[in-house]
mmCIF file of all heavy atoms in Angstrom:
data_model
loop_
_atom_site.group_PDB
_atom_site.id
_atom_site.type_symbol
_atom_site.label_atom_id
_atom_site.label_comp_id
_atom_site.label_asym_id
_atom_site.label_seq_id
_atom_site.Cartn_x
_atom_site.Cartn_y
_atom_site.Cartn_z
ATOM 1 N N GLU A 356 0.834 -1.191 0.000
ATOM 2 C CA GLU A 356 0.000 0.000 0.000
ATOM 3 C C GLU A 356 0.874 1.248 0.000
ATOM 4 O O GLU A 356 2.085 1.176 0.206
ATOM 5 C CB GLU A 356 -0.916 -0.002 1.233
ATOM 6 C CG GLU A 356 -1.841 -1.212 1.310
ATOM 7 C CD GLU A 356 -2.752 -1.165 2.525
ATOM 8 O OE1 GLU A 356 -2.836 -0.081 3.170
ATOM 9 O OE2 GLU A 356 -3.373 -2.194 2.836
ATOM 10 N N VAL A 357 0.242 2.383 -0.231
ATOM 11 C CA VAL A 357 0.907 3.673 -0.170
ATOM 12 C C VAL A 357 0.448 4.380 1.097
ATOM 13 O O VAL A 357 -0.739 4.363 1.437
ATOM 14 C CB VAL A 357 0.580 4.536 -1.408
ATOM 15 C CG1 VAL A 357 1.189 5.924 -1.281
ATOM 16 C CG2 VAL A 357 1.100 3.850 -2.668
ATOM 17 N N VAL A 358 1.381 4.990 1.809
ATOM 18 C CA VAL A 358 1.045 5.668 3.057
ATOM 19 C C VAL A 358 0.145 6.866 2.782
ATOM 20 O O VAL A 358 0.379 7.653 1.863
ATOM 21 C CB VAL A 358 2.330 6.130 3.786
ATOM 22 C CG1 VAL A 358 1.998 7.045 4.947
ATOM 23 C CG2 VAL A 358 3.115 4.920 4.265
ATOM 24 N N HIS A 359 -0.905 6.985 3.599
ATOM 25 C CA HIS A 359 -1.783 8.149 3.540
ATOM 26 C C HIS A 359 -2.132 8.561 4.965
ATOM 27 O O HIS A 359 -1.688 7.932 5.937
ATOM 28 C CB HIS A 359 -3.037 7.855 2.709
ATOM 29 C CG HIS A 359 -3.826 6.670 3.184
ATOM 30 N ND1 HIS A 359 -4.658 6.704 4.290
ATOM 31 C CD2 HIS A 359 -3.882 5.392 2.717
ATOM 32 C CE1 HIS A 359 -5.222 5.526 4.471
ATOM 33 N NE2 HIS A 359 -4.755 4.699 3.527
ATOM 34 N N GLU A 360 -2.919 9.592 5.113
ATOM 35 C CA GLU A 360 -3.159 10.199 6.418
ATOM 36 C C GLU A 360 -3.745 9.230 7.443
ATOM 37 O O GLU A 360 -3.509 9.363 8.633
ATOM 38 C CB GLU A 360 -4.085 11.419 6.284
ATOM 39 C CG GLU A 360 -3.455 12.587 5.559
ATOM 40 C CD GLU A 360 -2.302 13.213 6.346
ATOM 41 O OE1 GLU A 360 -2.288 13.075 7.586
ATOM 42 O OE2 GLU A 360 -1.422 13.829 5.716
ATOM 43 N N ASN A 361 -4.518 8.255 7.001
ATOM 44 C CA ASN A 361 -5.181 7.340 7.931
ATOM 45 C C ASN A 361 -4.520 5.961 7.979
ATOM 46 O O ASN A 361 -5.091 5.027 8.540
ATOM 47 C CB ASN A 361 -6.658 7.186 7.552
ATOM 48 C CG ASN A 361 -7.405 8.511 7.589
ATOM 49 O OD1 ASN A 361 -7.222 9.300 8.511
ATOM 50 N ND2 ASN A 361 -8.242 8.752 6.591
ATOM 51 N N SER A 362 -3.336 5.853 7.411
ATOM 52 C CA SER A 362 -2.690 4.535 7.311
ATOM 53 C C SER A 362 -2.452 3.877 8.659
ATOM 54 O O SER A 362 -2.507 2.651 8.784
ATOM 55 C CB SER A 362 -1.356 4.666 6.568
ATOM 56 O OG SER A 362 -1.549 4.887 5.195
ATOM 57 N N PHE A 363 -2.159 4.678 9.689
ATOM 58 C CA PHE A 363 -1.695 4.099 10.950
ATOM 59 C C PHE A 363 -2.765 4.068 12.040
ATOM 60 O O PHE A 363 -2.468 3.774 13.195
ATOM 61 C CB PHE A 363 -0.472 4.888 11.433
ATOM 62 C CG PHE A 363 0.601 4.987 10.396
ATOM 63 C CD1 PHE A 363 0.858 6.195 9.750
ATOM 64 C CD2 PHE A 363 1.330 3.878 10.022
ATOM 65 C CE1 PHE A 363 1.837 6.289 8.779
ATOM 66 C CE2 PHE A 363 2.313 3.957 9.046
ATOM 67 C CZ PHE A 363 2.568 5.167 8.420
ATOM 68 N N ASP A 364 -4.005 4.367 11.663
ATOM 69 C CA ASP A 364 -5.070 4.435 12.668
ATOM 70 C C ASP A 364 -5.290 3.109 13.377
ATOM 71 O O ASP A 364 -5.680 3.087 14.547
ATOM 72 C CB ASP A 364 -6.374 4.896 12.019
ATOM 73 C CG ASP A 364 -6.344 6.363 11.640
ATOM 74 O OD1 ASP A 364 -5.374 7.056 12.024
ATOM 75 O OD2 ASP A 364 -7.282 6.823 10.953
ATOM 76 N N ASP A 365 -5.087 2.000 12.683
ATOM 77 C CA ASP A 365 -5.356 0.682 13.268
ATOM 78 C C ASP A 365 -4.089 -0.127 13.500
ATOM 79 O O ASP A 365 -4.140 -1.347 13.650
ATOM 80 C CB ASP A 365 -6.302 -0.112 12.358
ATOM 81 C CG ASP A 365 -7.645 0.570 12.195
ATOM 82 O OD1 ASP A 365 -8.155 1.111 13.191
ATOM 83 O OD2 ASP A 365 -8.174 0.575 11.070
ATOM 84 N N VAL A 366 -2.956 0.557 13.522
ATOM 85 C CA VAL A 366 -1.670 -0.131 13.659
ATOM 86 C C VAL A 366 -1.092 0.124 15.047
ATOM 87 O O VAL A 366 -1.113 1.247 15.548
ATOM 88 C CB VAL A 366 -0.671 0.351 12.578
ATOM 89 C CG1 VAL A 366 0.653 -0.385 12.710
ATOM 90 C CG2 VAL A 366 -1.261 0.144 11.181
ATOM 91 N N ASP A 367 -0.568 -0.932 15.670
ATOM 92 C CA ASP A 367 0.027 -0.814 17.006
ATOM 93 C C ASP A 367 1.531 -0.550 16.948
ATOM 94 O O ASP A 367 2.049 0.274 17.690
ATOM 95 C CB ASP A 367 -0.218 -2.108 17.805
ATOM 96 C CG ASP A 367 -1.686 -2.339 18.078
ATOM 97 O OD1 ASP A 367 -2.261 -1.575 18.867
ATOM 98 O OD2 ASP A 367 -2.252 -3.276 17.490
ATOM 99 N N ILE A 368 2.228 -1.274 16.078
ATOM 100 C CA ILE A 368 3.685 -1.148 15.954
ATOM 101 C C ILE A 368 4.034 -1.047 14.474
ATOM 102 O O ILE A 368 3.580 -1.866 13.667
ATOM 103 C CB ILE A 368 4.423 -2.360 16.564
ATOM 104 C CG1 ILE A 368 4.065 -2.534 18.041
ATOM 105 C CG2 ILE A 368 5.931 -2.202 16.415
ATOM 106 C CD1 ILE A 368 4.604 -3.817 18.650
ATOM 107 N N VAL A 369 4.845 -0.060 14.117
ATOM 108 C CA VAL A 369 5.245 0.080 12.717
ATOM 109 C C VAL A 369 6.749 0.309 12.638
ATOM 110 O O VAL A 369 7.324 1.061 13.424
ATOM 111 C CB VAL A 369 4.475 1.230 12.028
ATOM 112 C CG1 VAL A 369 4.733 2.563 12.704
ATOM 113 C CG2 VAL A 369 4.822 1.310 10.541
ATOM 114 N N LEU A 370 7.382 -0.373 11.716
ATOM 115 C CA LEU A 370 8.812 -0.233 11.469
ATOM 116 C C LEU A 370 9.010 0.660 10.254
ATOM 117 O O LEU A 370 8.440 0.394 9.192
ATOM 118 C CB LEU A 370 9.459 -1.603 11.224
ATOM 119 C CG LEU A 370 9.165 -2.701 12.254
ATOM 120 C CD1 LEU A 370 9.907 -3.981 11.867
ATOM 121 C CD2 LEU A 370 9.542 -2.269 13.648
ATOM 122 N N PHE A 371 9.807 1.705 10.419
ATOM 123 C CA PHE A 371 10.050 2.661 9.333
ATOM 124 C C PHE A 371 11.441 2.455 8.742
ATOM 125 O O PHE A 371 12.432 2.478 9.463
ATOM 126 C CB PHE A 371 9.978 4.095 9.869
ATOM 127 C CG PHE A 371 8.616 4.738 9.787
ATOM 128 C CD1 PHE A 371 7.490 4.068 10.220
ATOM 129 C CD2 PHE A 371 8.477 6.024 9.301
ATOM 130 C CE1 PHE A 371 6.235 4.661 10.161
ATOM 131 C CE2 PHE A 371 7.232 6.633 9.231
ATOM 132 C CZ PHE A 371 6.103 5.951 9.655
ATOM 133 N N SER A 372 11.507 2.306 7.432
ATOM 134 C CA SER A 372 12.789 2.309 6.738
ATOM 135 C C SER A 372 12.577 2.878 5.343
ATOM 136 O O SER A 372 12.662 2.164 4.339
ATOM 137 C CB SER A 372 13.383 0.903 6.654
ATOM 138 O OG SER A 372 14.654 0.951 6.042
ATOM 139 N N ALA A 373 12.280 4.171 5.296
ATOM 140 C CA ALA A 373 11.991 4.818 4.020
ATOM 141 C C ALA A 373 12.746 6.134 3.873
ATOM 142 O O ALA A 373 12.371 6.972 3.050
ATOM 143 C CB ALA A 373 10.489 5.045 3.879
ATOM 144 N N GLY A 374 13.790 6.324 4.678
ATOM 145 C CA GLY A 374 14.592 7.536 4.565
ATOM 146 C C GLY A 374 14.198 8.609 5.558
ATOM 147 O O GLY A 374 13.076 8.633 6.079
ATOM 148 N N GLY A 375 15.145 9.509 5.825
ATOM 149 C CA GLY A 375 14.957 10.525 6.842
ATOM 150 C C GLY A 375 13.841 11.502 6.546
ATOM 151 O O GLY A 375 13.080 11.879 7.449
ATOM 152 N N ASP A 376 13.725 11.947 5.306
ATOM 153 C CA ASP A 376 12.676 12.910 4.966
ATOM 154 C C ASP A 376 11.292 12.324 5.186
ATOM 155 O O ASP A 376 10.388 12.994 5.702
ATOM 156 C CB ASP A 376 12.824 13.358 3.505
ATOM 157 C CG ASP A 376 14.042 14.232 3.284
ATOM 158 O OD1 ASP A 376 14.562 14.796 4.273
ATOM 159 O OD2 ASP A 376 14.486 14.359 2.122
ATOM 160 N N PHE A 377 11.134 11.060 4.798
ATOM 161 C CA PHE A 377 9.848 10.400 4.999
ATOM 162 C C PHE A 377 9.552 10.258 6.492
ATOM 163 O O PHE A 377 8.443 10.544 6.943
ATOM 164 C CB PHE A 377 9.851 9.026 4.339
ATOM 165 C CG PHE A 377 8.508 8.338 4.387
ATOM 166 C CD1 PHE A 377 7.623 8.458 3.330
ATOM 167 C CD2 PHE A 377 8.140 7.591 5.493
ATOM 168 C CE1 PHE A 377 6.380 7.835 3.379
ATOM 169 C CE2 PHE A 377 6.908 6.964 5.550
ATOM 170 C CZ PHE A 377 6.020 7.084 4.496
ATOM 171 N N SER A 378 10.553 9.829 7.256
ATOM 172 C CA SER A 378 10.358 9.658 8.695
ATOM 173 C C SER A 378 10.029 10.981 9.371
ATOM 174 O O SER A 378 9.190 11.041 10.277
ATOM 175 C CB SER A 378 11.606 9.049 9.333
ATOM 176 O OG SER A 378 11.790 7.716 8.902
ATOM 177 N N LYS A 379 10.700 12.039 8.945
ATOM 178 C CA LYS A 379 10.456 13.362 9.537
ATOM 179 C C LYS A 379 8.992 13.758 9.399
ATOM 180 O O LYS A 379 8.402 14.329 10.329
ATOM 181 C CB LYS A 379 11.352 14.401 8.875
ATOM 182 C CG LYS A 379 11.233 15.796 9.472
ATOM 183 C CD LYS A 379 12.204 16.756 8.801
ATOM 184 C CE LYS A 379 12.109 18.143 9.422
ATOM 185 N NZ LYS A 379 13.091 19.080 8.794
ATOM 186 N N GLU A 380 8.396 13.451 8.251
ATOM 187 C CA GLU A 380 7.001 13.822 8.030
ATOM 188 C C GLU A 380 6.025 12.854 8.672
ATOM 189 O O GLU A 380 5.049 13.273 9.319
ATOM 190 C CB GLU A 380 6.713 13.891 6.525
ATOM 191 C CG GLU A 380 5.261 14.215 6.209
ATOM 192 C CD GLU A 380 4.953 14.261 4.716
ATOM 193 O OE1 GLU A 380 5.892 14.058 3.915
ATOM 194 O OE2 GLU A 380 3.778 14.497 4.363
ATOM 195 N N TRP A 381 6.280 11.561 8.535
ATOM 196 C CA TRP A 381 5.255 10.573 8.853
ATOM 197 C C TRP A 381 5.399 9.909 10.214
ATOM 198 O O TRP A 381 4.389 9.461 10.782
ATOM 199 C CB TRP A 381 5.201 9.511 7.764
ATOM 200 C CG TRP A 381 4.599 10.023 6.504
ATOM 201 C CD1 TRP A 381 5.255 10.446 5.379
ATOM 202 C CD2 TRP A 381 3.208 10.215 6.235
ATOM 203 N NE1 TRP A 381 4.367 10.873 4.427
ATOM 204 C CE2 TRP A 381 3.101 10.741 4.919
ATOM 205 C CE3 TRP A 381 2.041 9.984 6.977
ATOM 206 C CZ2 TRP A 381 1.866 11.043 4.339
ATOM 207 C CZ3 TRP A 381 0.813 10.281 6.392
ATOM 208 C CH2 TRP A 381 0.728 10.801 5.100
ATOM 209 N N ALA A 382 6.599 9.812 10.756
ATOM 210 C CA ALA A 382 6.742 9.167 12.068
ATOM 211 C C ALA A 382 5.951 9.898 13.153
ATOM 212 O O ALA A 382 5.253 9.262 13.956
ATOM 213 C CB ALA A 382 8.215 9.043 12.450
ATOM 214 N N PRO A 383 6.017 11.235 13.233
ATOM 215 C CA PRO A 383 5.187 11.925 14.245
ATOM 216 C C PRO A 383 3.695 11.712 14.025
ATOM 217 O O PRO A 383 2.928 11.620 14.997
ATOM 218 C CB PRO A 383 5.572 13.400 14.062
ATOM 219 C CG PRO A 383 6.940 13.368 13.462
ATOM 220 C CD PRO A 383 6.915 12.183 12.541
ATOM 221 N N LYS A 384 3.277 11.622 12.769
ATOM 222 C CA LYS A 384 1.858 11.385 12.491
ATOM 223 C C LYS A 384 1.445 9.990 12.949
ATOM 224 O O LYS A 384 0.361 9.810 13.502
ATOM 225 C CB LYS A 384 1.580 11.556 10.996
ATOM 226 C CG LYS A 384 1.747 12.980 10.490
ATOM 227 C CD LYS A 384 1.462 13.078 9.003
ATOM 228 C CE LYS A 384 1.621 14.511 8.499
ATOM 229 N NZ LYS A 384 1.370 14.629 7.042
ATOM 230 N N ALA A 385 2.319 9.016 12.698
ATOM 231 C CA ALA A 385 2.020 7.655 13.143
ATOM 232 C C ALA A 385 1.974 7.575 14.661
ATOM 233 O O ALA A 385 1.102 6.920 15.238
ATOM 234 C CB ALA A 385 3.062 6.686 12.582
ATOM 235 N N ALA A 386 2.921 8.248 15.311
ATOM 236 C CA ALA A 386 2.937 8.261 16.783
ATOM 237 C C ALA A 386 1.688 8.939 17.323
ATOM 238 O O ALA A 386 1.097 8.485 18.312
ATOM 239 C CB ALA A 386 4.193 8.966 17.276
ATOM 240 N N LYS A 387 1.275 10.027 16.691
ATOM 241 C CA LYS A 387 0.069 10.733 17.126
ATOM 242 C C LYS A 387 -1.164 9.853 16.971
ATOM 243 O O LYS A 387 -2.128 9.956 17.747
ATOM 244 C CB LYS A 387 -0.097 12.023 16.319
ATOM 245 C CG LYS A 387 -1.230 12.907 16.802
ATOM 246 C CD LYS A 387 -1.282 14.213 16.025
ATOM 247 C CE LYS A 387 -2.410 15.110 16.534
ATOM 248 N NZ LYS A 387 -2.455 16.395 15.785
ATOM 249 N N ALA A 388 -1.132 8.980 15.962
ATOM 250 C CA ALA A 388 -2.245 8.051 15.752
ATOM 251 C C ALA A 388 -2.232 6.906 16.746
ATOM 252 O O ALA A 388 -3.146 6.070 16.741
ATOM 253 C CB ALA A 388 -2.202 7.504 14.327
ATOM 254 N N GLY A 389 -1.196 6.847 17.601
ATOM 255 C CA GLY A 389 -1.133 5.819 18.631
ATOM 256 C C GLY A 389 -0.206 4.674 18.335
ATOM 257 O O GLY A 389 -0.182 3.690 19.071
#
């Protein structure tokens, strides 16, 4: 799948390996989603 704003709503643990720019944008959003 492609990451979108609601991707992490139902996820408990996610491993990120998509580069620093991607993590900078999306890791805080995933954490905010729980």
Side-chain angles (χ1 to χ4, degrees):
E356 301 181 13
V357 175
V358 170
H359 56 77
E360 292 293 335
N361 300 317
S362 287
F363 307 108
D364 288 352
D365 298 320
V366 181
D367 295 291
I368 302 172
V369 60
L370 310 181
F371 268 48
S372 183
D376 290 341
F377 186 94
S378 292
K379 183 177 181 178
E380 178 181 359
W381 288 100
K384 293 180 180 179
K387 187 176 181 179

